[in-house]
Amino acid sequence: MKAKLVTQKALETLKSNTQKALNRSLDRHIKLAVTGFSGSGKTAFITALVKHLTSQATKQNLPFFDVVREGRLIAAKQVPQRALDIPTFDYQAASACLLADEPTWPASTQRINTLTLALKFNCESGLRSHLSPTSTVYLELIDYPGEWLADLPMLSQDYQAWSEATLELLQRDAYKSYSDSFLSLLATFDPNEKVDEQALKNLAQSYQQLLTTLKNETKLAQLQPGRMLIPSDLAGAPILQFFPVKPLKEITEHTQYQQLQARFEAYKQQVVMPFYKQHFCQFDRQLVLVDVLSALNDGPDTLQEQQEALAHVMQVFNYGKSGFLKRLFYPKIDKVLFAANKCDHVTPSQQADIALLLNDMLGEQSNDLRFAGVSVESMAISSVQSTQAKLVNDAGEQLECVYGKVLGEQQWTTYLPPQPPNHCLSAQQWPDHGFEFLSFYPQKARQGNLNHVRLDHALQFLIGDKLV
Ligand SMILES: Nc1nc2c(ncn2[C@@H]2O[C@H](COP(=O)(O)OP(=O)(O)OP(=O)(O)O)[C@@H](O)[C@H]2O)c(=O)[nH]1
Ligand SMILES: [Mg+2]
């Protein structure tokens, strides 16, 4: 019996060691998909990740990242990327913003860019470390405008389905007042008429203005087509001149409707699909950053919309555990981390609540992912810390507050954040006064060092097993 147990244990150890060795040889390149809608914190996360791994990788700073805690990380260094046709992520510019005497956030991303970080480490002790004492893993990251991510669900819609869903969204209570002028112009538009380029152009302009207003005034995620907000070299091209119309019973040839439909399909095929194929098919780890606090500030419609938008985007990805052979040919995402980002806008004891809220927003999705064999985790993080926790004595009562410099203001403020809900609230359950969470400038770096909240937990979950 004892001998049998020993044999079984030895077999398991051998299996685990073999798996680790295979992981090491096959996964020298890890593609990490940093996903999140515009403003969720992708650029700040990538900048912080590079900063902490290249110049702040100490046990004190990243205690929950095993390779660092165990003193095995030798060094991390930015190296030339494999994709030669994509601009390189401007780490110097982004980190300079965070490290300035008066720190600011890096600007919103206007184009795709990429960066590869080589992580050289000592392998875990044991037989394998004699075979190969050190190893190098190449971590590939891409950064892109969040608006482009919100386009991915369009791939599974036709023009009619997209039109219906978009008009339904625009007519919701919270957004009706913004949509009025576009909707009244749309009411004068006859999609059955023969093509009138000027009419199409005018309505497309009005729709573009509406998207811009919604981006500035709300936290809506599904502002499609995303390239209307960041058109770059597509500005003025007919492929961007479409908008939603009411469904038609019958579609006739050479009508405005058919023209809009053709532009919608062309946008999907020529703009969204290449982005998806080139950048999102080949990932094996995924981080999903969600700004739940801004959604709460915006009200129940936006919280619900963020939840729907997340579900739609997640459906596009290819999940499921891949065997090592499969991974050689077709990598699949096998670990997904959902992070309620900017958690330092609330007090440390409230942070667990926003992680629970995010969990609730994900609903069946995380269950479905687990069923597909994907490891899923959710946590509250702040890749760049912007506040400090502070206890304030209020008539004998100790109040937990946060202290920081509020965005757009000059003063440092001690502030008592409202209690965030730990589950989704319906419009009826929503507090009358709503929520008002403040945003802050990044904290000033001390001796060139940035602070974070649970970035090390996030790294351990996402790539820890590849650094053994
Ligand atoms: N407290 C805190 N705020 C953050 C953090 N990361 C981002 N922010 C805030 O969120 C804003 C947007 O962050 P970005 O990193 O630009 O977000 P993004 O996802 O790259 O946005 P796009 O480039 O527009 O897609 C910043 O300007 C900050 O105000 C963080 O780690 N902590
Ligand atoms: Mg960005």
Side-chain angles (χ1 to χ4, degrees):
M1 179 73 175
K2 202 171 171 196
K4 195 175 164 193
L5 265 179
V6 169
T7 319
Q8 198 170 339
K9 203 166 164 217
L11 263 175
E12 269 162 21
T13 313
L14 183 66
K15 212 167 109 188
S16 144
N17 283 348
T18 316
Q19 187 62 48
K20 282 180 182 170
L22 281 169
N23 273 348
R24 227 173 49 226
S25 55
L26 293 175
D27 299 337
R28 295 175 62 81
H29 282 266
I30 310 171
K31 281 195 159 196
L32 173 64
V34 181
T35 42
F37 299 119
S38 181
S40 58
K42 300 179 293 295
T43 303
F45 176 88
I46 293 173
T47 312
L49 181 152
V50 177
K51 173 78 174 86
H52 287 278
L53 292 182
T54 53
S55 66
Q56 294 181 231
T58 61
K59 287 176 202 182
Q60 293 72 25
N61 183 39
L62 301 171
F64 287 92
F65 192 29
D66 288 357
V67 71
V68 173
R69 190 194 57 247
E70 290 161 8
R72 293 187 293 106
L73 185 68
I74 300 167
K77 189 171 174 261
Q78 191 180 338
V79 292
Q81 67 214 37
R82 286 199 291 193
L84 300 179
D85 54 343
I86 306 179
T88 306
F89 180 82
D90 195 348
Y91 170 70
Q92 295 307 335
S95 59
C97 293
L98 297 175
L99 296 169
D101 282 344
E102 294 288 333
T104 53
W105 294 102
S108 175
T109 311
Q110 300 296 302
R111 56 167 202 194
I112 189 159
N113 44 62
T114 184
L115 176 143
T116 302
L117 204 60
L119 305 172
K120 190 169 184 189
F121 59 98
N122 285 316
C123 302
E124 277 181 346
S125 56
L127 181 63
R128 285 169 305 107
S129 64
H130 292 291
L131 297 172
S132 130
T134 65
S135 189
T136 304
V137 148
Y138 297 88
L139 181 64
E140 295 180 26
L141 301 151
I142 61 157
D143 194 24
Y144 52 88
E147 286 83 358
W148 299 5
L149 180 79
D151 276 350
L152 295 187
M154 293 170 82
L155 291 173
S156 60
Q157 287 173 309
D158 62 16
Y159 178 56
Q160 177 164 334
W162 176 77
S163 283
E164 280 178 54
T166 307
L167 289 175
E168 188 271 321
L169 180 68
L170 297 178
Q171 283 160 345
R172 287 187 199 171
D173 284 349
Y175 319 118
K176 252 195 333 229
S177 62
Y178 303 113
S179 316
D180 265 356
S181 93
F182 166 72
L183 292 176
S184 25
L185 198 59
L186 186 66
T188 65
F189 174 79
D190 185 355
N192 270 321
E193 283 286 313
K194 67 177 190 331
V195 178
D196 173 351
E197 283 293 348
Q198 196 54 43
L200 291 175
K201 196 171 165 192
N202 290 346
L203 260 152
Q205 258 168 11
S206 168
Y207 183 61
Q208 182 175 25
Q209 264 162 22
L210 168 59
L211 292 186
T212 310
T213 310
L214 288 171
K215 178 169 164 61
N216 295 336
E217 304 293 329
T218 74
K219 284 287 167 185
L220 271 178
Q222 295 165 110
L223 298 175
Q224 299 160 336
R227 295 300 197 288
M228 262 196 181
L229 291 161
I230 307 178
S232 48
D233 52 351
L234 291 179
I239 200 167
L240 265 193
Q241 288 173 356
F242 66 90
F243 45 87
V245 297
K246 290 211 177 81
L248 290 184
K249 284 203 184 79
E250 224 174 283
I251 300 162
T252 357
E253 297 260 302
H254 311 301
T255 55
Q256 316 236 52
Y257 187 94
Q258 214 195 19
Q259 181 63 218
L260 289 168
Q261 193 178 35
R263 290 177 185 185
F264 174 86
E265 288 302 329
Y267 181 77
K268 271 168 54 182
Q269 294 314 319
Q270 292 170 38
V271 180
V272 188
M273 189 52 113
F275 175 61
Y276 176 66
K277 273 198 181 151
Q278 283 166 23
H279 308 297
F280 280 109
C281 273
Q282 298 285 311
F283 281 103
D284 45 6
R285 298 287 154 100
Q286 185 177 23
L287 168 68
V288 185
L289 293 169
V290 188
D291 183 359
V292 287
L293 295 173
S294 296
L296 285 172
N297 278 349
D298 226 25
D301 286 312
T302 299
L303 190 71
Q304 187 193 337
E305 194 267 347
Q306 283 266 340
Q307 194 178 0
E308 292 164 3
L310 264 177
H312 293 153
V313 165
M314 298 305 287
Q315 274 162 15
V316 178
F317 289 93
N318 192 6
Y319 298 106
K321 226 181 191 103
S322 54
F324 70 90
L325 272 179
K326 254 189 183 167
R327 185 155 49 220
L328 271 179
F329 306 105
Y330 192 47
K332 280 188 178 178
I333 296 169
D334 62 357
K335 275 188 164 204
V336 179
L337 174 63
F338 292 97
N341 200 12
K342 316 182 191 178
C343 71
D344 61 340
H345 292 177
V346 295
T347 65
S349 58
Q350 293 172 330
Q351 291 172 8
D353 291 319
I354 62 168
L356 287 170
L357 171 63
L358 177 59
N359 231 349
D360 195 38
M361 284 170 72
L362 297 168
E364 283 179 12
Q365 272 174 72
S366 40
N367 190 48
D368 290 349
L369 286 173
R370 286 194 181 95
F371 194 81
V374 180
S375 297
V376 183
E377 176 92 52
S378 47
M379 60 178 76
I381 67 163
S382 187
S383 40
V384 180
Q385 205 170 329
S386 66
T387 69
Q388 287 161 22
K390 195 170 171 182
L391 278 180
V392 173
N393 191 323
D394 180 45
E397 195 190 349
Q398 294 278 35
L399 297 179
E400 221 187 326
C401 295
V402 296
Y403 177 68
K405 191 172 164 192
V406 176
L407 268 189
E409 292 179 15
Q410 288 308 311
Q411 300 301 320
W412 286 73
T413 307
T414 301
Y415 145 82
L416 180 71
Q419 174 58 43
N422 59 13
H423 58 275
C424 294
L425 300 179
S426 65
Q428 289 74 34
Q429 295 167 318
W430 209 264
D432 294 339
H433 42 84
F435 293 97
E436 200 188 343
F437 297 99
L438 300 181
S439 296
F440 299 85
Y441 286 104
Q443 252 187 8
K444 202 164 153 48
R446 269 193 232 129
Q447 279 132 27
N449 286 339
L450 296 175
N451 286 327
H452 66 88
V453 182
R454 283 182 281 276
L455 182 67
D456 50 345
H457 290 251
L459 290 173
Q460 179 57 29
F461 177 77
L462 288 166
I463 57 171
D465 61 324
K466 308 273 190 182
L467 303 167
V468 290

